[in-house]
Amino acid sequence: MTATLIDGKAVALRLRATVASRVAALPFQPGLAVVLVGDDPASAVYVRNKDRAAAKAGIAARTLHLPADTSEATLLATVAALNADPSVDGILVQLPLPPQIRAQSVIAAIDPAKDVDGFHPVNVGHLHDGRPTLVPCTPLGVMHLLAEAGVSLRGTRALVLGRSAIVGKPMAALLTNADVTVTVAHSRTRDLAAECRRAEVLIAAVGRPEMVRGDWVADGAVVIDVGINRLADGRLVGDCATAECAAHAAAITPVPGGVGPMTIACLLDNTVRAAVARRGQPAG
Ligand code: GUN
């Protein structure tokens, strides 16, 4: 079998166009504030891309860049000011944060109605309760990709490889809510390869370059590769050995150009949802 490539770039562009037309039809301009603390180069690239994509969709985007030695109290005060600002519909604090700041305290300080990352405990609770509100962007993007690829999920068996709060855990909750039988595997799982082989839908989000090999993939499985890893030679690779896995899978996402572009598209979608929910306009 040779897998169909799931074109995340194309799906993301379509979603961004939909978001832009929804923004154009609103009687107000949604606002997104992105907070970057410190000078991590990868975070700086992510934040710039989010800011640009938001502006392109007609969202009023602003980036607040704070120095690396910012105290937790100063960041909490910044978040409080954004919570109180009526022109701000979405707040995103880029992770990771410097060691002197506890990410959990900052996330918990964000108004849940403006939490476009979906990381606040209230929004996490709603997702796990089966009544999702604002949902983390990367797993939300994976659900969009699966839908666009025509994968019918109900009753299938999925394996989520990775248990992070940003991807693995919310991914498992979204799939469970979609009537999937979900296994969450991680670094302590015994016989990872055997667990993977049982999956009809395999979602890799461990951050280990090309860890998932071809013989870990069941014939006809759908493989979603969330990993983006830069190798010493500069190449970007996913968590799956794509060519090997594609020999078994029915469909697979490439890296780059798979899940990555969906994260930003879903952030824009979340921002408009938050804006409409806060300002009382129909969601469309
Ligand atoms: N760092 C890596 N991914 C993310 C994300 O989705 N949101 C935030 N805020 N920081 C991140």
Side-chain angles (χ1 to χ4, degrees):
M1 186 170 300
T2 298
T4 305
L5 278 187
I6 300 173
D7 186 348
K9 218 163 142 184
V11 175
L13 281 174
R14 282 204 295 277
L15 179 55
R16 283 169 60 171
T18 304
V19 170
S21 60
R22 214 170 335 138
V23 169
L26 288 173
F28 57 85
Q29 189 182 25
L32 171 67
V34 178
V35 182
L36 173 64
V37 185
D39 304 300
D40 177 62
S43 290
V45 171
Y46 286 134
V47 164
R48 196 163 55 242
N49 288 342
K50 286 169 184 174
D51 201 295
R52 279 198 196 139
K56 247 177 141 171
I59 293 168
R62 78 173 92 138
T63 296
L64 286 82
H65 192 175
L66 305 178
D69 62 355
T70 298
S71 68
E72 186 175 300
T74 300
L75 182 54
L76 289 173
T78 303
V79 167
L82 294 171
N83 283 343
D85 184 337
S87 73
V88 173
D89 297 290
I91 302 169
L92 182 147
V93 178
Q94 185 67 26
L95 304 176
L97 288 166
Q100 74 276 15
I101 301 176
R102 293 167 299 172
Q104 286 310 330
S105 312
V106 176
I107 289 166
I110 296 171
D111 178 348
K114 297 188 177 188
D115 168 37
V116 285
D117 261 328
F119 294 165
H120 190 285
V122 163
N123 289 322
V124 173
H126 285 311
L127 171 61
H128 285 265
D129 216 17
R131 295 176 298 118
T133 42
L134 290 167
V135 173
C137 303
T138 300
L140 188 59
V142 171
M143 295 303 282
H144 267 288
L145 277 184
L146 289 168
E148 289 279 326
V151 178
S152 100
L153 287 171
R154 178 171 293 167
T156 59
R157 203 165 44 234
L159 183 102
V160 178
L161 183 48
R163 55 178 161 181
S164 70
I166 293 182
V167 185
K169 286 188 178 119
M171 188 77 251
L174 282 167
L175 290 167
T176 304
N177 293 347
D179 301 324
V180 174
T181 303
V182 184
T183 301
V184 179
H186 44 75
S187 54
R188 304 271 183 241
T189 298
R190 243 183 290 129
D191 203 349
L192 212 45
E195 291 291 346
C196 289
R197 272 193 292 269
R198 284 158 39 84
E200 296 167 274
V201 178
L202 173 56
I203 299 183
V206 271
R208 285 175 165 265
E210 299 182 323
M211 180 182 187
V212 176
R213 309 309 308 189
D215 63 354
W216 294 26
V217 175
D219 284 336
V222 175
V223 177
I224 305 290
D225 191 349
V226 180
I228 302 178
N229 311 288
R230 194 169 289 282
L231 300 181
D233 66 8
R235 275 189 310 133
L236 272 186
V237 298
D239 290 348
C240 303
T242 308
E244 281 181 24
C245 294
H248 295 270
I252 190 167
T253 56
V255 176
V259 175
M262 292 303 296
T263 299
I264 288 182
C266 288
L267 170 67
L268 306 183
D269 195 39
N270 274 352
T271 302
V272 175
R273 280 174 197 281
V276 165
R278 284 185 58 247
R279 306 197 203 204
Q281 297 293 319

